[in-house]
Structures are given as structure tokens and as C-alpha cells.
Amino acid sequence: MQDGNQIHAGFSDPVFQSQGAFRALLAALSEPGLARDLGDAIEAPTGLEPATAVALLTLADYETPIWLPVALRDGPAGAWLRFHCGAALVEEPSRAAFAVIDGAASEPKLASFNAGDDQFPDRSTTVLVQCGGLEGGEAVTLEGPGIAGHRTIAPAGLRPGFWAEVEGNATLYPLGIDLLLVHGTQALGLPRSTQIVGAR
Amino acid sequence: MTVHQSISDDAKPAYNYAYLDEQTKRMIRRALLKAVAVPGYQVPFGSREMPLARGWGTGGIQVTAAIIGPDDTLKVIDQGADDTTNAVSIRRFFERTADARTTEATDEATIIQTRHRIPEAPLKSGQIMVYQVPQPEPLRKLEPHEAETRKMHAWAEYGLMQVKLYENIARFGEVTTTYDYPVMVNGRYVMAPSPIPKFDNPKMQMSPALQLFGAGREKRIYAVPPHTSVRSLDFEDHPFRIQSWEQPCALCGAADSYLDEVVIDDQGGRMFVCSDSHHCETRRAEGHRGAMLADASALHLVEDKP
């Protein structure tokens, strides 16, 4: 366990562990709705799912401001990210390149993150939604790029109205935030290009 | 931390695995994820100096370097062939810097880096195509200013491209663009498919493979995820058509592959052969024989396994 002063180790083999995790993330966002395993290469700090920690260690650095819930920002997770990624932890959701939210918490809304602008839609926030599970919840049917026909997912532990927010995000396309639903060592991609067809 | 030395035991200074440093790979990886999330949109990235000249595939090499790992098998083609200069050099680059396993067989490869062709053998789910792109902006010849083309993409203002195709038809009776034929991706962005022949455009439509595009000199990355709509621009009364040939491949007899015309003497003699060298060899090994195979093997131009 981690006490207040101790920062856990990052990758033991940064080159290959980050490469493996990146390929899982690339597969997750290019085939939305399929859960991918990011591995258990590190011991995540309190408050971050293992997949969240691996994804941020793989992608974040001094160029990418990160938004965390206040409790995480001021706790070991914030210290861990500052130390390993050198990333700035920002207070305004709209300034973040990456954000971590609790899927069950009512705030912040997805719309408070940066959706990019029409000439640079790539400057939007990638939001990691830590949820109670990637199956066993309310079934939602997806369609769009990366999906042959339809795909049904049922992540658990998401706040009421979450899917309406996701639908609202998809209507902004090609703007919008990109979501990764994470639980344990797994991540499931929901990029802005994915449409919700059979919600609720 | 980023120097990877396990490739060989000798004391030569080692580059990082796959040449690029980890900070650069993270930057390219972030660009790739955004590219996948907005199919067809060109994501700017900080293209690095590579140990070969811009225009020789530096964009594709940087993309491959950012994704490749020990589990991958790499195939590199140049105009469909595995054995031409650019393909051989890039394959050797990754053998040396990433200890990469390489192959010429399309179905064995997990990453296929390509210049100007898509293999004839159908691509599979899980494979990644990496295209080398000289000019990522399909509108550049119509509008030289980046500030303007960026607005045209932002507002889906693609009338100029339709006018260009229309003028082609008005003047020549058909669209004369035969390579780098513009496509509409996911119904939103007009995209340059890189200088592949328009023969290959239909292979991009709903492909099960992930397609990544890297333009090193122009500093752009874009992508087409699997199962994504990629429609070649056309008109209802002038539908998109691919090239066709009056004769099959002279070596393997294939009537459905993309053929290169080869001048064989100064008497006007010529032959048509598959541009995809692995496809042609596979067919010959399966016993398919084209009209000129016997002559070509007698001159030791191809290996003929009877």
C-alpha cells in the first residue's frame, strides 16, 4: 500500500510496455465498443483504475494538461502523474488534453470538456471514464466507423443521463470529446464518431 | 531510460527501439488516436528529421515506428513490389532499429507499410496498413493556402473538388484522375488516399483493416478505421470506374489484378505484369501460367517453379 509520501513505480520497461498499451488503445478507439486489455504492468495509485494509469503513462507528458477530480488531484494519483508524466494538472476541464472522471459522479458533465474547434477538431479532450464494470449494465447499441453493422455494449455504474450526454457529444461530430470507458485493466473506446442507436 | 540496448551486445551506441525517442512516439501516438476518432481529418504532428530524405516515406516510417512492437511482422511494398529500393531500404531500417520480423507474404503481415499500392490479397481484421503520403491535402492543387483549405474542410465546403471533376468530364468525357483519386470518408471529410491507383480505391471501402496515413514533409497524420465508408467522388451520370486491361498478366494470367506495362524491346513490344509481386509469385507457385512466362523464365527474368 501507498502512504502519503510514497510514489509508486511507473513502467519497468517503458519502451515495450507503453508500445503494448498504445496498441490496445489504438484498437479500442478504432473498433469502438470492444474492450481491450491494457495489461497490469504497474501498480496504480489510489483512485486510478489500472487501465487509467497505464493509458496516462503511455500518452501523457508535459505537453498534455490533465484534469482530475479534486480528491484525486490533491491525493497520491495527482502526485504520481506529476512525477511520472510531468503533466500539468489543471482546474478547468476545458483546458485538459486528458481527463479522468468517475462514471457514477454527477459532475463534471461531458460538455464541460474541450470539444475542439472546427478547424482543429483534434484538439479536444480525451476523457477516461472510470466505471463500475464494462458489462452487466444497461445495454446500448452502437454504430459508426470501426463497427461492422451494430455492436451492443452494457457498461455498468454510469450516472443517469450519461448516454444522453454521449448522444449529445456525437451530434457535434466532427467536433466532440473521445471517451474511453475503463474498468480494471480493460478499456473500451467510444470516439465521437460512434453513434448511439438503441439507447434505453 | 529510453535507450534500448538489447538488440545486440556490441558496444556501438544504440538508438532507441524503432529509432524514435519515446517523447516523439507519444506525440505521434496521440495524433494517431485523434486521427482514428475523426476519420479522414488530417491531424498536424511534429514530423521529425529521419535518416532518409523527405519524400522517401518519412511519414509512413514515423507512423510504423510509433506502432511497431516485438509481436509484429512487417511487410513493406513500393508500387506493389517487395523488392524495389524504397521497400528494401525501409524493411532493412526496421530490421536494424526495431529487430523487426519481416515478410513478403500479405497474409502473414500485421503491419504493411506501402507506397502507392494496396495488396491484391484481401486484408484481414487486425492488420494495419501504413501509407506513405507525399501530399495529404486533396484540395491543395485547387487552393494553395493552408488557411483556406483548413476552412474548406471545417465547413465541408467541397464544391471546388466537384467542379474540378466536372470540368474533367466536360473536357475529356470522363474523370481523368487515375491515382490519388479523392474519396469521401465517413460522409464528412474529403481525403487523399495517397497516390494509389484508383483501381485500389474500392479496397478501402469498409476494409476490415485499420488504415493509417503519414505525410512526413507535410507533417500530417490521418486514418480510416476498419469498416468505415470510403466513397470515391463521382456523379450519378458518371459513376466512378476503375481501370481495366485488355489482356491478363503475362506471367501469372491474373485478369483481376493491377497491371504494370513493361516495354521489352525497341520494336514496340510490351508486356503487362502484376504490380503486386507477391500476388504474382503466389499465383505462379499455384500453377497459374501467363502467356510470356516461358520466355521470361528462359531468360532467367523470373524464377519458374514448374
Side-chain angles (χ1 to χ4, degrees):
Chain A
M1 277 311 290
Q2 177 166 348
D3 66 42
N5 302 319
Q6 191 189 354
I7 292 174
H8 277 287
F11 288 137
S12 56
D13 187 357
V15 171
F16 294 110
Q17 287 171 344
S18 62
Q19 188 271 338
F22 167 70
R23 285 292 285 276
L25 289 164
L26 182 66
L29 281 170
S30 58
E31 295 192 74
L34 289 184
R36 303 286 178 169
D37 200 286
L38 270 61
D40 53 355
I42 53 171
E43 190 183 339
T46 311
L48 295 186
E49 296 280 343
T52 309
V54 169
L56 288 175
L57 211 48
T58 300
L59 296 172
D61 54 34
Y62 63 86
E63 294 182 329
T64 57
I66 299 175
W67 187 92
L68 295 177
V70 178
L72 293 186
R73 186 162 71 229
D74 296 341
W80 188 84
L81 287 171
R82 276 198 192 91
F83 179 77
H84 285 296
C85 302
L89 302 181
V90 291
E91 289 180 21
E92 309 93 282
S94 62
R95 284 186 54 208
F98 293 100
V100 179
I101 65 171
D102 176 356
S106 58
E107 292 291 330
K109 298 294 183 216
L110 298 183
S112 60
F113 294 103
N114 182 6
D117 65 58
D118 59 357
Q119 296 192 28
F120 292 95
D122 56 299
R123 294 180 184 173
S124 66
T125 309
T126 302
V127 181
L128 296 135
V129 183
Q130 307 200 112
C131 55
L134 295 183
E135 43 196 39
E138 153 189 35
V140 176
T141 303
L142 313 174
E143 67 176 12
I147 302 170
H150 296 90
R151 184 169 290 146
T152 301
I153 60 169
L158 294 165
R159 64 190 175 217
F162 179 81
W163 292 110
E165 288 183 63
V166 175
E167 275 185 285
N169 182 56
T171 60
L172 299 175
Y173 184 85
L175 306 190
I177 60 172
D178 302 309
L179 300 173
L180 282 160
L181 305 188
V182 290
H183 177 76
T185 62
Q186 296 205 310
L188 178 154
L190 276 182
R192 65 193 91 172
S193 56
T194 301
Q195 306 284 327
I196 313 277
V197 279
R200 288 163 293 276
Chain B
M1 158 184 137
T2 57
V3 175
H4 177 72
Q5 262 190 284
S6 72
I7 292 173
S8 60
D9 292 333
D10 58 31
K12 277 185 285 183
Y15 286 104
N16 188 30
Y17 176 80
Y19 187 76
L20 296 174
D21 59 278
E22 291 302 296
Q23 159 68 21
T24 299
K25 286 187 198 169
R26 268 195 300 275
M27 175 269 297
I28 294 174
R29 287 167 181 172
R30 289 194 295 261
L32 284 169
L33 294 184
K34 286 299 175 191
V36 160
V38 195
Y41 166 73
Q42 303 162 50
V43 182
F45 81 110
S47 179
R48 298 297 193 248
E49 203 70 38
M50 297 301 284
L52 77 171
R54 298 254 158 102
W56 288 84
T58 53
I61 290 174
Q62 289 178 81
V63 170
T64 301
I67 64 175
I68 197 169
D71 297 336
D72 285 310
T73 304
L74 177 69
K75 170 181 166 83
V76 186
I77 53 174
D78 169 9
Q79 301 275 14
D82 293 274
D83 51 5
T84 47
T85 311
N86 198 227
V88 171
S89 308
I90 293 172
R91 199 156 51 228
R92 196 163 55 197
F93 176 82
F94 284 109
E95 282 167 357
R96 284 169 62 170
T97 62
D99 211 8
R101 196 163 51 235
T102 56
T103 183
E104 295 192 2
T106 304
D107 60 343
E108 287 172 11
T110 56
I111 300 175
I112 302 172
Q113 182 171 332
T114 176
R115 172 178 177 271
H116 300 192
R117 273 314 305 280
I118 299 175
E120 304 290 355
L123 299 174
K124 294 179 303 191
S125 172
Q127 288 183 314
I128 302 180
M129 286 288 296
V130 178
Y131 296 79
Q132 302 169 198
V133 183
Q135 176 51 268
E137 179 49 75
L139 304 168
R140 183 61 72 234
K141 282 185 179 161
L142 306 170
E143 168 53 62
H145 298 100
E146 169 68 13
E148 293 303 316
T149 52
R150 192 159 281 284
K151 285 180 205 159
M152 292 160 78
H153 285 296
W155 304 332
E157 182 55 68
Y158 294 128
L160 206 54
M161 182 60 90
Q162 297 287 352
V163 169
K164 181 208 152 189
L165 297 177
Y166 166 75
E167 286 185 343
N168 250 226
I169 292 168
R171 192 174 298 176
F172 304 110
E174 62 178 335
V175 177
T176 53
T177 305
T178 53
Y179 65 95
D180 211 356
Y181 191 102
V183 292
M184 173 68 84
V185 179
N186 192 29
R188 178 58 180 79
Y189 282 100
V190 165
M191 183 187 92
S194 87
I196 57 171
K198 67 178 179 178
F199 180 88
D200 286 341
N201 276 18
K203 296 178 189 166
M204 304 181 110
Q205 161 77 354
M206 296 292 168
S207 167
L210 170 63
Q211 305 176 76
L212 306 175
F213 300 77
R217 183 183 50 215
E218 304 291 331
K219 304 178 178 61
R220 295 290 185 275
I221 281 172
Y222 50 107
V224 176
H227 309 293
T228 299
S229 146
V230 180
R231 196 173 54 74
S232 302
L233 297 182
D234 62 358
F235 297 95
E236 272 175 26
D237 52 344
H238 282 271
F240 174 77
R241 281 189 304 135
I242 61 173
Q243 293 103 324
S244 57
W245 290 263
E246 285 169 359
Q247 42 185 298
C249 170
L251 297 181
C252 77
D256 57 353
S257 68
Y258 186 80
L259 303 181
D260 285 335
E261 183 176 1
V262 182
V263 174
I264 49 175
D265 56 31
D266 57 1
Q267 313 293 315
R270 56 201 59 220
M271 65 194 286
F272 289 88
V273 294
C274 290
S275 116
D276 184 337
S277 59
H278 178 257
H279 180 70
C280 199
E281 282 161 20
T282 307
R283 283 180 51 83
R284 292 202 300 269
E286 286 166 357
H288 297 278
R289 300 179 64 82
M292 295 169 82
L293 181 60
D295 300 341
S297 6
L299 292 168
H300 304 291
L301 293 175
V302 295
E303 277 180 55
D304 186 22
K305 300 176 192 83

